[in-house]
Every structure is written in structure tokens, then in C-alpha cells.
Amino acid sequence: MLPSLRALSAPFSCRASVNDNFNSHSHSQDAAFIRRAAQIADKSAGFTSPHPNFGCVIATSAGKVAGEGYLYAQGTKPAEVLATEAAGASCHGATAYLNMEPGDCHGDHTAVSALVQAGIRRVVVGIRHPLQHLRGTAVRALRSQGLQVDVLGEDIKSKVLEEARKSCLLVNAPLIHRAICRVPFSVLKYAMTLDGKIAASSGHAAWISCEKSRDRVFELRGRSDAIIVGGNTVRRDNPKLTARHGGGHMPIRIVMTQTLNLPEEASLWDMSEVSTIVVTQRGARKSFQKFLVSKGVEVVEFDILNPRDIMEYFHDRGYLSILWECGGILAASAISSGVIHKVYSFLWLFGFLCRLPLY
């Protein structure tokens, strides 16, 4: 578990009574359905930002799944609405399993109302909402309507429930981390040859990757709000930085360059598919800044260009997750600034490419 996630790990306290219905069987059943809710919530990773990934499973008293749903993207129906619609009349007396407490913003109580109106009897929540102004609001609203609401880890101590709770933390790690640390959740990806070089001598990192690794990179891009590269990557590789094989959305492309020594011809200046933002030192190459703006590129100036300030800036713009695909110099700066939270290393070893996720 990421260090930042431990802050949300509430201590267990036992409040067992003769009225508690928990036993080892119900523990296992609750854990299984909560893990399923987290699993389907993860399908929308990259689409829902800056909102959480929500999943909902409706189970009958006999332990059968009657319906399920997840939040597809911003502005679509809540997971609870989709699940109750799928379950229909089977909702009466059923249990709803949610990977996260609903976050009804701006007075919109659609998710809570869907569960109440459908006749749900009990709601099991994996974790409370990580945003302080929403934390506990939906739980109180559901209880005020007479529903039994159980939050994993708050009443009963159980290893199987704690493992299910961890799955809920991980599926929304970017949101939770951002709420605690006030910077986006950042992943560094690099490919490395056996001799320790992170790019081929030609400068084309693709030469030390393969189709399988590239598909994985496209998947990582599709789960991210933005991708960051440095000026060297733009000059040497002329990347497009799209998620064309990842099945996800198209993340914003960010170029971090102190001197703004960039070519006029670059794939990143093509805004037909996705936008590009260039962050640079204040006053750098004003004429080239005007050129970029004429192409539709957004230019943001900083007095001092460093990864920490840039991450705080994009946090304020609502970004949850950033994928760093930069070279060694910028990667080292980002790591030393403490803004990298997870690393994927693709190691070319004896003709085989090994993916090493490092935490």
C-alpha cells in the first residue's frame, strides 16, 4: 500500500453484540462483492477524472448478483442508478455494495435517492469518501432513510474485509493521494537496456521495447490525465503521446522545457486529437511562445521551473494522475523533488522485455 493511503486506514474497533449478523460466511460474501464493486469501478479509470471511480453491485438475500453498474465518465448516470436499473424489482430487500461512499456534489443526491427508492435494505461501503466536505455525508443520508449502512473496517476486525478494503483504496489511489498530498498521483515509466541505459543510442526508446510493452504503455496513458515529457524527448523522438491502443481517453500532453529550445515541426503541435501544454521558464523565447500559441498550444511560464511547482499547479487545475515518460535528467529531477509515487521499469534482458512495477 502506498504510504499516503495509510492515512485513510481507520483503526478497527469491535462493537459486537447479539444483534450483529456478521459471521465468517457473511464476511467472505461482503468481501467478495466489495472486491467486485472495485473491479468494475476500475473499468472507468481515466474517464471519470477528477471524480472517483465508482462501482455498485446489488446482491439478493440469497447472495446472487441482481445488477451492477459503474460510473462511465463525467456527466453519466451514477453507478448506483445503473445497478438498481439493472436489478429492477430484485432490489427490494437487497444489499448494495459500493467500493466508495457516494459523493453527491452540489446538492445532487441522485446516487442516494436511487438506492432508497429502489427498496435497498442494506448498503456496504468499502471506504468513506476521501474528500473532507463529502466524507460521511452519503452514509448519514442513507441511515436517515432507515437503511443499514456498514463501512468496512469501522465495526468488525477481519482480514478478509481488510483485503477487500485495500482493493477499494487502490482503485481510487490517484484521488486519495491527491486529497492527502495536494499533488497529482505521478507514475514514472521508462525502458532500460541491460547496461543501464534508458534509451537506445539512437535516442529512440522504442528500439528497446516490444509490442507487448507498448500496449502496456498505451494502457497507462489511457488511465492518466496527462503525460509529461522533456525537451530532449521532443527533439529526439518526436512522440505523439497518444493512447491509441489503450482503450482509454486521450490524456493531455505536457512538455517541460526550461529553454524552450524546441523544433517548429513536431507531432505534439498537432492539436487535432488532443491538446498540448508547454511549461517553461518565464521569458524564454517569446517569439517561439507566440508561434506555439498560433498552433493552439497553451504556454505556461514559471519563475523557477521545477517538478514540485509544476505538480502543485496541475493539482490546482484538477489533475488526478500524471504519467512521466521523460528522459533520465528530468526523471531524476522529478524523483528528487518527491513527486513520483510509482515506477514502471521495462528492462530489456537477454532478448526479453521484463516489466518491473516498483512502488
Side-chain angles (χ1 to χ4, degrees):
M1 185 186 299
L2 294 167
S4 60
L5 300 188
R6 296 194 184 103
L8 288 184
S9 298
F12 287 109
S13 61
C14 291
R15 297 192 312 213
S17 71
V18 294
N19 294 323
D20 285 328
N21 296 320
F22 294 102
N23 52 47
S24 59
H25 173 71
S26 63
H27 284 184
S28 299
Q29 181 169 288
D30 283 352
F33 286 133
I34 284 292
R35 286 196 301 269
R36 175 57 184 169
Q39 181 183 24
I40 61 175
D42 192 56
K43 293 182 178 182
S44 61
F47 289 95
T48 58
S49 179
H51 302 296
N53 300 316
F54 285 112
C56 177
V57 176
I58 307 295
T60 66
S61 57
K64 302 296 183 181
V65 174
E68 57 184 30
Y70 63 94
L71 179 67
Y72 289 103
Q74 287 191 66
T76 62
K77 288 184 178 181
E80 296 82 359
V81 173
L82 294 173
T84 53
E85 287 179 349
S90 297
C91 287
H92 292 283
T95 299
Y97 293 89
L98 317 177
N99 65 296
M100 179 183 286
E101 175 185 13
D104 290 326
C105 300
H106 311 300
D108 177 12
H109 303 291
T110 305
V112 168
S113 297
L115 298 175
V116 173
Q117 293 173 7
I120 295 295
R121 178 185 63 84
R122 177 178 177 239
V123 177
V124 181
V125 177
I127 59 174
R128 289 180 182 262
H129 204 290
L131 301 184
Q132 194 60 42
H133 68 288
L134 296 175
R135 187 176 177 84
T137 301
V139 169
R140 289 191 296 271
L142 289 166
R143 286 173 175 166
S144 71
Q145 294 293 322
L147 280 71
Q148 177 186 344
V149 181
D150 297 309
V151 182
L152 296 191
E154 294 189 359
D155 296 311
I156 299 295
K157 184 175 181 179
S158 166
K159 183 177 180 180
V160 68
L161 292 178
E162 177 62 13
E163 289 301 316
R165 187 170 179 275
K166 287 180 181 179
S167 69
C168 298
L169 291 168
L170 291 174
V171 76
N172 275 301
L175 178 77
I176 295 169
H177 185 277
R178 180 178 181 272
I180 296 172
C181 299
R182 302 193 63 79
V183 292
F185 182 79
S186 289
V187 175
L188 170 65
K189 161 262 167 185
Y190 69 90
M192 183 173 67
T193 57
L194 186 59
D195 60 359
K197 299 183 183 301
I198 65 171
S201 59
S202 64
H204 293 282
W207 284 34
I208 57 171
S209 63
C210 63
E211 183 177 354
K212 185 176 182 180
S213 68
R214 288 192 291 272
D215 287 345
R216 179 58 175 143
V217 170
F218 291 139
E219 179 185 344
L220 290 173
R221 290 176 181 176
R223 299 172 66 90
S224 304
D225 292 336
I227 309 167
I228 287 187
V229 296
N232 283 337
T233 300
V234 178
R235 288 187 291 270
R236 295 174 181 176
D237 296 345
N238 189 25
K240 293 183 178 179
L241 300 182
T242 60
R244 52 189 179 276
H245 298 314
H249 81 300
M250 299 288 271
I252 300 297
R253 303 167 301 186
I254 301 172
V255 180
M256 184 174 172
T257 169
Q258 185 168 347
T259 63
L260 206 59
N261 181 23
L262 301 173
E264 290 191 2
E265 297 295 327
S267 298
L268 294 180
W269 314 153
D270 179 1
M271 315 295 276
S272 59
E273 289 185 285
V274 63
S275 300
T276 299
I277 301 173
V278 173
V279 293
T280 188
Q281 196 92 3
R282 190 171 303 282
R285 295 190 68 190
K286 286 294 188 180
S287 60
F288 192 73
Q289 288 191 35
K290 293 180 180 179
F291 165 78
L292 291 176
V293 171
S294 72
K295 291 284 189 178
V297 177
E298 180 182 356
V299 179
V300 181
E301 294 181 298
F302 288 81
D303 292 329
I304 298 176
L305 202 65
N306 65 72
R308 169 62 62 173
D309 288 345
I310 290 174
M311 288 299 94
E312 290 177 356
Y313 170 79
F314 283 108
H315 163 273
D316 292 341
R317 289 184 58 159
Y319 288 49
L320 292 184
S321 55
I322 305 287
L323 178 64
W324 294 68
E325 292 197 50
C326 50
I329 296 175
L330 182 52
S333 178
I335 292 172
S336 64
S337 297
V339 299
I340 299 298
H341 311 110
K342 187 172 184 177
V343 176
Y344 278 91
S345 175
F346 295 84
L347 177 62
W348 188 257
L349 180 64
F350 303 119
F352 297 95
L353 190 75
C354 306
R355 178 174 63 84
L356 304 175
L358 308 175
Y359 295 87

